[in-house]
Amino acid sequence: MATKRSKPTKKAPGRLYTGMGGWTFAPWRGPFYPEGLVQKRELEYASRQVSAIEINGTYYRSPDIDTYRRWAAETPEDFVFSVKAPRHIVQSRALASTGERIGRFLDGAIGLGDRLGAVLWQFLPTRKFDPDDIAGFLDLLPDRHEGVALRHAVEVRHESFMDERWLTLARDRGVATVFTDSPDHPSFADLTGPFVYARLMRSRAREKHGYPAKELKAWAAHAAAWTAGDDPADLPHVVEPQASGQPRDAFVFFISAAKERNPAAAVALGKLADDA
């Protein structure tokens, strides 16, 4: 009697994290934060409405480890932060010489523990692609620091990075290239890391949820494709899309533009993903 062949098991998709930049912004009080909520409880509230927050203030000043630990303690277990690396590192003339500063920054950031989702390294628009210096810098980014696992995403803002050599460097080192959906910066969605990091910068004040419903549905579809291991061909790429079939976590942040609408956009996208 023939043995019935079992069907292959479908791989579970990666996790989708949606959020915005920061949690302290006066125009959010009322539209997003309930009236009367004290400011010191805003992180507690925000972290229960979205699944991730990108901490932008660390670009200007690195908190001590106890501050990071306090932030982590105010959030639920399934929530994560992305931490933007300090400007004194990413604005250095020679990135490959910043190892000591990277270590000091990570000494604090690991205070987030399992709430540390990703580290964002944002280059200036004037930073051109220098293969040797960039390779040296990427080699300084550790997979772990003091036992805490790390994921690194690099946002490039000069068109010289739209180069297959950059993609190869990033892929070889497991670093994600940020997809910046912006009219002001290079925008390409080539996947280079084991996770996806997108920063969406087109929210509009006139839209209740920052984006028209049709556009949010399109981003939900892109997010579903990313977490399933696909590489959406309708997004801009430097080279041909490369779907791996391997599930990936995806971080989608609504940043800048009509900042007052970004929490609503993040919440709406999260709900669309949950309902899919």
Side-chain angles (χ1 to χ4, degrees):
M1 184 176 183
T3 301
K4 187 176 181 180
R5 181 177 295 174
S6 60
K7 294 182 180 179
T9 302
K10 186 177 180 180
K11 295 180 180 178
R15 173 78 190 273
L16 172 63
Y17 297 95
T18 64
M20 62 283 183
W23 62 86
T24 303
F25 186 53
W28 293 350
R29 293 165 190 152
F32 178 56
Y33 292 122
E35 293 286 355
L37 182 71
V38 295
Q39 185 174 337
K40 67 180 181 180
R41 295 192 63 190
E42 288 178 346
L43 174 58
E44 176 188 345
Y45 179 87
S47 63
R48 286 156 176 81
Q49 311 305 312
V50 297
S51 50
I53 286 176
E54 183 183 277
I55 307 176
N56 302 128
T58 48
Y59 183 74
Y60 303 100
R61 179 179 177 275
S62 295
D64 58 33
I65 193 169
D66 290 335
T67 298
Y68 283 112
R69 287 170 174 160
R70 175 167 53 81
W71 289 340
E74 294 177 16
T75 64
E77 290 184 0
D78 57 350
F79 177 87
V80 296
F81 293 95
S82 169
V83 182
K84 185 183 286 189
R87 59 183 174 179
H88 70 78
I89 298 175
V90 293
Q91 293 182 11
S92 298
R93 183 183 296 272
L95 287 171
S97 67
T98 58
E100 184 179 347
R101 280 174 279 173
I102 289 172
R104 289 199 303 269
F105 160 60
L106 294 176
D107 284 343
I110 60 170
L112 292 173
D114 60 6
R115 305 294 200 279
L116 179 54
V119 181
L120 170 64
W121 306 87
Q122 184 188 81
F123 294 165
L124 289 172
T126 53
R127 170 77 63 185
K128 296 180 181 179
F129 178 50
D130 176 339
D132 292 335
D133 187 44
I134 296 297
F137 171 72
L138 296 184
D139 287 339
L140 297 174
L141 305 182
D143 294 331
R144 306 184 74 84
H145 188 78
E146 300 295 331
V148 177
L150 301 175
R151 295 190 280 194
H152 302 281
V154 174
E155 180 177 355
V156 300
R157 292 190 162 191
H158 193 279
E159 62 184 9
S160 60
F161 279 86
M162 298 178 72
D163 185 318
E164 191 168 354
R165 292 175 299 167
W166 158 250
L167 302 179
T168 299
L169 279 177
R171 285 175 178 147
D172 286 348
R173 289 156 177 80
V175 171
T177 298
V178 175
F179 170 52
T180 305
D181 184 49
S182 164
D184 301 320
H185 307 297
S187 181
F188 55 105
D190 298 77
L191 302 179
T192 61
F195 68 103
V196 179
Y197 200 110
R199 304 178 86 230
L200 309 185
M201 301 184 179
R202 299 178 191 267
S203 57
R204 278 140 282 182
R206 67 178 181 274
E207 297 289 343
K208 180 180 179 182
H209 296 119
Y211 287 70
K214 183 178 180 180
E215 291 183 24
L216 282 174
K217 288 180 180 178
W219 284 118
H222 292 323
W226 283 328
T227 57
D230 294 331
D231 187 359
D234 55 339
L235 293 177
H237 284 70
V238 174
V239 300
E240 288 296 314
Q242 299 184 13
S244 68
Q246 294 297 319
R248 289 180 168 92
D249 288 348
F251 297 80
V252 180
F253 293 106
F254 294 89
I255 303 291
S256 302
K259 188 175 179 180
E260 66 273 21
R261 296 297 190 190
N262 288 341
V267 171
L269 182 62
K271 288 181 178 178
L272 284 171
D274 290 342
D275 293 341

